[in-house]
Amino acid sequence: MTSAPVLALRGVSKRFGAVQALTDVELEVHAGEVVALVGDNGAGKSTLVKTIAGVHPIDEGQIEWEGRPVSIHRPQDAQHLGVATVYQDLALCDNLDVVNNLFLGRELKRRGTLDEVAMEQKARELLSTLSIRIPSVRIPIASLSGGQRQVVAIARSLIGDPKVVILDEPTAALGVEQTAQVLDLVERLRERNLGVILISHNMADVRAVADTVAVLRLGKNNGTFPVQQTTQETIIAAITGATDNAVTRRAARTTEVAQ
Amino acid sequence: MSNDTKTPASAPIPAVDPRLLQREAGLQGYVNEFVRKVRGGDIGSLPVVIGLIVIWLTFGLSNSQYFAPSTATYIAYWMPGVGLLAVGLVFVLLLGEIDLSVGSVSGLSAAVYAVLAVTHGLNPWLAVFTTILTGAAIGALHGWIFAKIGVPAFIVTLAGFLVWQGVMLWVLGSTGTINLTDVGLNHFLSGNSYVLNGDVSGGYILAVLAVASMAYGSFGEQARRRKAGVPFKPTSELLIRVGLVAVGAFVAAYVLNQDRGVPDAQVMFLALLIICDFVLRRTSFGRKIFAVGGNIEASRRAGISVAAIRISVFSISGAFAALGGLTIAAETGAASQSGSDPNNLMMAIAAAVIGGTSLFGGRGRVWSAFLGMLVISSIQYGLNMESLNQDVEYMIMGVVLLAAVIVDSLARRTQKSSGRG
Ligand SMILES: Nc1ncnc2c1ncn2[C@@H]1O[C@H](COP(=O)(O)OP(=O)(O)OP(=O)(O)O)[C@@H](O)[C@H]1O
Ligand SMILES: [Mg+2]
């Protein structure tokens, strides 16, 4: 990975009123690399994602795209660069049906009008690769379960031709099978030479698919580790900020009981 | 799971859950699905159609004159004016907003047209064009203040309600009334203009055109869906739909032909309804309006410029208010101070909501402007015939509007509880 990263953040800061959500954050994603972004609740992961996606413009620092500095002020800017994002809160329109949500903002057209047939066809294909069962692709999002909505949001990021896919806790609401499918999907994205940022609280998932783990703590970088050469304890210590933390204490307790 | 459990052979998983939304074949399945939809709060036009039948029966049984063809002419002739205001309002309601200025803008537009075309003798078509542009610009201004400065639309358009009424009075000047000359669009919209000069064939030609294009559209879509291998509506359902529209169209043509024919104003109204319906359902602009009405933040993140959509929707509402104002003036033959009658605003909002467009945004169709106006005009004419006073008319209209809003709110609640909100 000697070439320039497809996406790089240099000293990015973001402030919400009194809250300094991000301070001097650095992050690099290369093509064909899966970067796991981990950190405790409120660490600033979703905020970081939103700055890349153009939902919240950054206050300070720089975003580089394929080595060149770019400015991302609006979601459109990120879309045009080739960033696709699955938000933690999904951001779907409850009143629109599955097909319309999937293609929202990038509808397929035929002679200037919406090509509902082609969109429906593509939507079915896409959803079946994620092995999700939904009652119909023509019912409003409001009538889907949480996990079904999440899969729709994930499928949405695959429409268009992104170069970087950002997944903010994509498997939080998913069952075992769908989680495995999403992890497979992440691997397929890597094979297609896309850059992936995966946010997850599940260390097993992170270790299964990520190449690199970037830890965020209280809005600051707290280490970047290659997954292969790093133990889980090291990562957890970086997340919590101490080797003596709730996780290790609990682990010690449970081993004592077992003995 | 223990290790020696055999993993089941991986069967291909269908994209569609077999448990749900299955409709039994044939008419019975159709009826069942209909009942289920209504239970789930997806009521569509059902309350309006039932309401219309009740209204017609009530007035018709108390006064047999109500079923005379002249009733239909009256309704077809007076519907388009306020109906056009309602069309613009449907766009605004789909965003989940409201435009209280349409009545005043329509009055002002009639005044602007009268001053340009009558007082200054401008080419009548150029005057129409300028007037509609004025309406669109006024709407765009409301939209801009709402979208860019962030003043609630309710307040912006309430201010517009007063301001444009003042401007109208100022434009009309001391006389207060300007009689219109029977030229240009004004002639087309006035009481002397019927399709093919009121010839019997006119109404039937329109009915044939409507039914044929609807049949062509729905069967064409069915064929394309069948070819692409996606679910399509069964032929029986399409036949029923087209059949119902055909009955409505030919009965209307027959009744109107008993009197003077189809008013041209009504034809313009119907043509604009078809165009707007197309824009809302078949173009990405229309899709964006629904999206913004459903979830503003999700729309923004999908790359939709929410401000641009808001400004253009209010501008559309202004343009329809202007056209509605021209129509109302043509119907009465003059631009007068009563052009901005606040009742027109109330009627237009009521029509859109009665017709089934939700006040909560994201749900509705422009045809609700037509259905709602049909209900309102039917009641108005019936009350006039019973020679009831204004006081009773206001009370009844108020109750009808309240009933429509209650139905809308209840539908929303049932939709929430059955997961369709
Ligand atoms: N729109 C906002 N306005 C004000 N403060 C915000 C906003 N969004 C996030 N914050 C604050 O920024 C900090 C980081 O929040 P963020 O959502 O990025 O956390 P996170 O790492 O995604 O947490 P989680 O794992 O719970 O999703 C929090 O303290 C939060 O309160
Ligand atoms: Mg988060």
Side-chain angles (χ1 to χ4, degrees):
Chain A
M1 273 179 233
T2 45
S3 62
V6 56
L7 174 75
L9 306 191
R10 310 282 181 213
V12 165
S13 299
K14 176 73 199 174
R15 166 182 273 282
F16 293 113
V19 185
Q20 184 75 38
L22 298 173
T23 316
D24 270 340
V25 175
E26 307 275 328
L27 184 76
E28 287 191 355
V29 189
H30 293 79
E33 181 191 24
V34 177
V35 177
L37 188 60
V38 297
D40 265 340
N41 292 127
K45 306 179 296 295
S46 297
T47 306
L48 188 68
V49 163
K50 287 179 187 166
T51 61
I52 302 172
V55 176
H56 300 313
I58 57 175
D59 293 334
E60 283 159 49
Q62 202 159 55
I63 299 180
E64 285 176 17
W65 185 260
E66 293 173 338
R68 284 187 312 278
V70 288
S71 58
I72 300 179
H73 292 296
R74 306 175 305 161
Q76 287 94 313
D77 299 337
Q79 266 179 20
H80 290 149
L81 289 173
V83 179
T85 313
V86 179
Y87 297 95
Q88 190 170 11
D89 58 7
L90 306 184
L92 300 167
C93 289
D94 274 357
N95 60 328
L96 297 183
D97 64 29
V98 175
V99 178
N100 293 343
N101 264 291
L102 284 177
F103 287 89
L104 189 62
R106 44 172 68 109
E107 292 87 2
L108 301 182
K109 288 185 200 141
R110 175 171 162 271
R111 288 193 242 127
T113 63
L114 298 177
D115 190 351
E116 296 284 353
V117 175
M119 287 196 275
E120 188 166 331
Q121 222 173 5
K122 191 128 185 269
R124 291 169 146 255
E125 277 167 29
L126 203 56
L127 291 173
S128 66
T129 61
L130 292 168
S131 71
I132 183 74
R133 270 155 289 185
I134 52 173
S136 154
V137 291
R138 284 299 182 188
I139 58 168
I141 287 290
S143 36
L144 297 186
S145 77
Q148 289 170 330
R149 289 178 199 211
Q150 195 150 35
V151 176
V152 172
I154 293 170
R156 201 170 124 67
S157 67
L158 304 178
I159 289 184
D161 205 5
K163 289 185 179 152
V164 170
V165 177
I166 306 176
L167 305 160
D168 192 350
E169 300 194 24
T171 57
L174 297 190
V176 265
E177 183 175 359
Q178 281 73 25
T179 300
Q181 294 285 348
V182 170
L183 296 180
D184 281 357
L185 172 77
V186 169
E187 284 173 345
R188 263 181 282 150
L189 293 177
R190 171 171 49 201
E191 280 157 28
R192 274 167 52 191
N193 213 30
L194 273 65
V196 180
I197 300 176
L198 174 69
I199 297 178
S200 177
H201 288 295
N202 184 331
M203 280 305 134
D205 291 355
V206 167
R207 297 189 71 85
V209 293
D211 303 302
T212 314
V213 179
V215 180
L216 217 51
R217 180 168 158 71
L218 301 175
K220 298 188 181 124
N221 284 112
N222 203 20
T224 304
F225 310 95
V227 171
Q228 299 301 326
Q229 293 95 329
T230 315
T231 61
Q232 183 146 332
E233 288 69 41
T234 319
I235 298 174
I236 291 173
I239 292 173
T240 55
T243 40
D244 176 34
N245 55 50
V247 183
T248 49
R249 280 196 300 273
R250 183 177 164 77
R253 262 204 323 275
T254 42
T255 39
E256 266 168 36
V257 172
Q259 276 161 4
Chain B
M1 209 204 292
S2 63
N3 283 336
D4 52 12
T5 315
K6 270 214 303 212
T7 26
S10 65
I13 297 142
V16 173
D17 191 323
R19 278 172 306 178
L20 288 159
L21 286 190
Q22 291 296 312
R23 185 165 86 200
E24 310 96 279
L27 206 59
Q28 184 57 40
Y30 203 53
V31 172
N32 289 348
E33 185 185 322
F34 184 70
V35 170
R36 201 190 58 229
K37 270 189 173 173
V38 172
R39 288 230 177 100
D42 190 3
I43 43 180
S45 326
L46 185 71
V48 202
V49 174
I50 293 177
L52 258 183
I53 294 172
V54 170
I55 290 164
W56 287 343
L57 286 181
T58 313
F59 285 119
L61 293 181
S62 79
N63 188 339
S64 61
Q65 273 304 302
Y66 190 74
F67 287 133
S70 57
T71 309
T73 306
Y74 174 92
I75 290 175
Y77 179 62
W78 289 99
M79 229 167 85
V82 178
L84 287 167
L85 306 190
V87 171
L89 270 167
V90 168
F91 280 82
V92 178
L93 289 176
L94 282 176
L95 287 187
E97 304 295 340
I98 188 95
D99 187 346
L100 297 177
S101 72
V102 291
S104 297
V105 173
S106 77
L108 171 63
S109 304
V112 167
Y113 171 78
V115 168
L116 288 177
V118 179
T119 315
H120 292 289
L122 193 71
N123 174 301
W125 289 104
L126 194 61
V128 166
F129 182 73
T130 317
T131 304
I132 293 175
L133 219 57
T134 309
I138 289 173
L141 177 66
H142 294 155
W144 185 83
I145 296 174
F146 162 54
K148 291 289 186 183
I149 302 183
V151 186
F154 174 77
I155 302 296
V156 178
T157 56
L158 184 61
F161 171 84
L162 292 171
V163 169
W164 306 119
Q165 190 165 14
V167 177
M168 179 199 77
L169 295 177
W170 175 72
V171 168
L172 281 176
S174 51
T175 54
T177 302
I178 302 175
N179 287 323
L180 299 179
T181 39
D182 198 20
V183 288
L185 185 71
N186 196 54
H187 170 75
F188 182 74
L189 297 178
S190 72
N192 307 320
S193 183
Y194 291 85
V195 176
L196 294 182
N197 290 323
D199 189 85
V200 183
S201 60
Y204 294 122
I205 291 176
L206 287 176
V208 169
L209 275 179
V211 175
S213 52
M214 183 181 173
Y216 177 79
S218 39
F219 284 100
E221 183 180 326
Q222 189 201 39
R224 282 213 310 128
R225 297 184 76 94
R226 192 198 302 259
K227 205 169 123 220
V230 292
F232 51 84
K233 292 198 178 110
T235 309
S236 57
E237 178 180 339
L238 295 186
L239 285 176
I240 291 174
R241 281 170 186 272
V242 174
L244 286 176
V245 168
V247 169
F250 280 96
V251 167
Y254 173 78
V255 174
L256 287 172
N257 275 336
Q258 299 299 303
D259 198 31
R260 300 177 61 185
V262 187
D264 278 328
Q266 181 67 28
V267 177
M268 182 185 79
F269 185 43
L270 288 172
L272 286 170
L273 284 169
I274 292 171
I275 294 171
C276 289
D277 187 53
F278 182 85
V279 168
L280 279 178
R281 293 194 308 121
R282 299 263 182 245
T283 67
S284 58
F285 174 68
R287 185 57 44 81
K288 286 173 187 163
I289 293 176
F290 278 94
V292 174
N295 186 337
I296 294 165
E297 183 59 20
S299 309
R300 193 169 83 86
R301 293 191 197 168
I304 295 171
S305 169
V306 175
I309 294 293
R310 286 175 165 169
I311 293 172
S312 40
V313 162
F314 275 87
S315 172
I316 288 172
S317 170
F320 272 104
L323 190 58
L326 289 178
T327 311
I328 294 170
E331 284 165 355
T332 53
S336 68
Q337 293 183 345
S338 66
S340 69
D341 185 358
N343 278 328
N344 289 346
L345 167 68
M346 288 304 146
M347 294 297 163
I349 296 176
V353 177
I354 290 171
T357 291
S358 174
L359 283 169
F360 303 102
R363 217 155 34 83
R365 297 173 309 157
V366 291
W367 284 102
S368 53
F370 179 85
L371 284 172
M373 277 315 291
L374 203 54
V375 169
I376 289 178
S377 316
S378 301
I379 297 178
Q380 256 180 345
Y381 188 77
L383 294 179
N384 285 350
M385 216 171 51
E386 305 279 340
S387 50
L388 287 172
N389 288 331
Q390 282 269 294
D391 45 8
V392 183
E393 188 178 324
Y394 285 167
M395 286 189 266
I396 292 184
M397 287 300 180
V399 170
V400 171
L401 174 59
L402 190 63
V405 176
I406 289 174
V407 168
D408 179 30
S409 305
L410 288 180
R412 186 177 152 86
R413 250 190 20 207
T414 5
Q415 280 182 327
K416 277 232 146 75
S417 66
S418 64
R420 287 184 156 269

